Amino acid sequence: MNESSAGVVRSRFSRLRHGAHVAALTLLALTTGACDDDTPSEPRDPRPEELVAAAAPAWVAGVVASLPPAALPVWDACRLAGTMQPAGTPYAIGVNCRVLRVDGVDRRFVVHVPNHPAVTSGSDVPLVVMFHGSAQNGELFYEQSSWQEEADANGWIVAFPSGVTYLLNSGTYETKWNAYGLEREIDPTWVPAGLPAGTTWPLDDIAFTTLLLDDLESEVHIDARRIHVSGFSNGGSFAGRVATEMGARVASAAAVTRPFPEAFTAAVPIPFQYLLGTRDAFAIQSINSSLLMGQPPVATVPLDPAVLFSYTDMEGRRVALAESFQLVDTVYTTSTSLTATSMVWQTPLPGNVAGNEVEWWIVRGLEHEYARGPGRRYPSNNPGGIDAPRLFRAFFATHTK
């Protein structure tokens, strides 16, 4: 068996030496023998799920058995690297797969540790926690969000946790984050098999996020002043909940989604940046479902703030967003270009001495997607080339504790 790094202690990082798990492969080869009548079977390479399962110790077996297909390649990469580990284990350069038990439930997350001088020197570096959208998972966003490339270029660490599956009132099963209002979206009579008695449902994702941060700060060099969260869609809404409830620990937040439908007062106001696409079908439907008498429906989300906020839904979200972070909702500056309109709130409500701000961008041509610009692994998805990781990282970099 070739050696692979077991991880890195907090005092230093080491480059992984990738190697095949020969013993696991041998075991699989012995269990895929001949067909009936001793007819030789056509040799094949083991599938990722077989490899991951063969390497999985007892503590992770249940998690591996329930992995969605999109997650298997990432966990197979962790298997090869020797970084498929329980929480409380040192992190290594590259991809790390972790399992964390929260309220009796095993929760999984992926962490990307870049091979960057800021990291390998042992310096404290920023952390971003990225929350995926509905019916998605952390492994998908590890692969597709472009945060890997942004982390590699700048020496930041990025974590990609996964939500859990709920039965929605619509009758479909989807992964979700416990953002504000989730209890109204799900069928509370359905719970997954094996859920420990007494466990709250929906699950406490704030507790999960807290323990995830505890694990990262204990096992890798994280700058506690520069912990940030991002999210998409339902994950963006949950990033809003994290921002309002964990502002004492999180420096700033940014999301691609619609802002709060109602105000939730932040315990510690922090900076927040929102992106919303003009072609976001959910936003368009939301606007058109609450039209005033004689008001024309929209085909796209308006770029002009005067038009945007003439619609009840967007006006309500403007008020809720500003008030949630203790800012005056009627006082803001705007800037419009060919690619986007940005609106910035900085005037504090009485009692707010945090010096925080809120930015809300309306991005031309962006659909309900995490914004991606040129030069990434996947093509740009909006005509202006606005890239959420680049834009959000620049926002995060200017906002530390």
Side-chain angles (χ1 to χ4, degrees), residues 246-258:
M246 298 182 65
R249 191 166 188 180
V250 173
S252 61
V256 180
T257 192
R258 290 171 290 160

Side-chain angles (χ1 to χ4, degrees), residues 31 141 154 325 343:
T31 59
F141 266 67
N154 296 279
F325 295 97
M343 298 159 285

Side-chain angles (χ1 to χ4, degrees), residues 92-112:
I93 298 296
V95 60
N96 297 260
C97 298
R98 291 291 185 271
V99 175
L100 178 65
R101 178 152 289 190
V102 186
D103 295 332
V105 178
D106 287 332
R107 305 295 300 272
R108 72 181 197 273
F109 60 101
V110 174
V111 176
H112 179 67

Side-chain angles (χ1 to χ4, degrees), residues 100 102 107-108 161-162 177 204-212:
L100 178 65
V102 186
R107 305 295 300 272
R108 72 181 197 273
S162 287
W177 292 104
D204 187 347
D205 285 329
I206 293 292
F208 176 33
T209 303
T210 299
L211 292 175
L212 182 154

Side-chain angles (χ1 to χ4, degrees), residues 150-181:
E150 196 66 16
D152 288 340
N154 296 279
W156 291 32
I157 292 172
V158 188
F160 303 86
S162 287
V164 297
T165 299
Y166 296 94
L167 173 59
L168 305 187
N169 291 327
S170 63
T172 60
Y173 294 87
E174 289 186 4
T175 50
K176 287 277 189 180
W177 292 104
N178 192 355
Y180 293 122

Side-chain angles (χ1 to χ4, degrees), residues 76-270:
D76 194 42
C78 289
R79 176 193 64 81
L80 287 169
T83 59
M84 184 171 65
Q85 301 288 346
T89 306
Y91 289 84
I93 298 296
V95 60
N96 297 260
C97 298
R98 291 291 185 271
V99 175
L100 178 65
R101 178 152 289 190
V102 186
D103 295 332
V105 178
D106 287 332
R107 305 295 300 272
R108 72 181 197 273
F109 60 101
V110 174
V111 176
H112 179 67
V113 180
N115 184 22
H116 187 280
V119 176
T120 56
S121 67
S123 300
D124 290 343
V125 299
L127 168 69
V128 176
V129 182
M130 172 70 216
F131 300 104
H132 61 77
S134 299
Q136 299 174 330
N137 54 68
E139 293 83 4
L140 179 71
F141 266 67
Y142 165 79
E143 293 282 12
Q144 296 184 4
S145 68
S146 300
W147 269 110
Q148 271 194 68
E149 299 100 300
E150 196 66 16
D152 288 340
N154 296 279
W156 291 32
I157 292 172
V158 188
F160 303 86
S162 287
V164 297
T165 299
Y166 296 94
L167 173 59
L168 305 187
N169 291 327
S170 63
T172 60
Y173 294 87
E174 289 186 4
T175 50
K176 287 277 189 180
W177 292 104
N178 192 355
Y180 293 122
L182 178 63
E183 66 279 356
R184 298 191 295 269
E185 299 180 36
I186 66 172
D187 179 349
T189 65
W190 180 89
V191 297
L195 184 73
T199 301
T200 59
W201 190 255
L203 295 183
D204 187 347
D205 285 329
I206 293 292
F208 176 33
T209 303
T210 299
L211 292 175
L212 182 154
L213 294 181
D214 290 345
D215 184 68
L216 281 158
E217 288 193 272
S218 68
E219 301 296 341
V220 71
H221 285 281
I222 299 297
D223 186 342
R225 301 167 306 148
R226 295 187 289 172
I227 295 174
H228 314 276
V229 296
S230 182
F232 168 65
S233 193
N234 164 252
S237 297
F238 181 65
R241 181 171 187 177
V242 171
T244 59
E245 297 186 18
M246 298 182 65
R249 191 166 188 180
V250 173
S252 61
V256 180
T257 192
R258 290 171 290 160
F260 298 120
E262 58 186 291
F264 300 93
T265 302
V268 177
I270 64 172

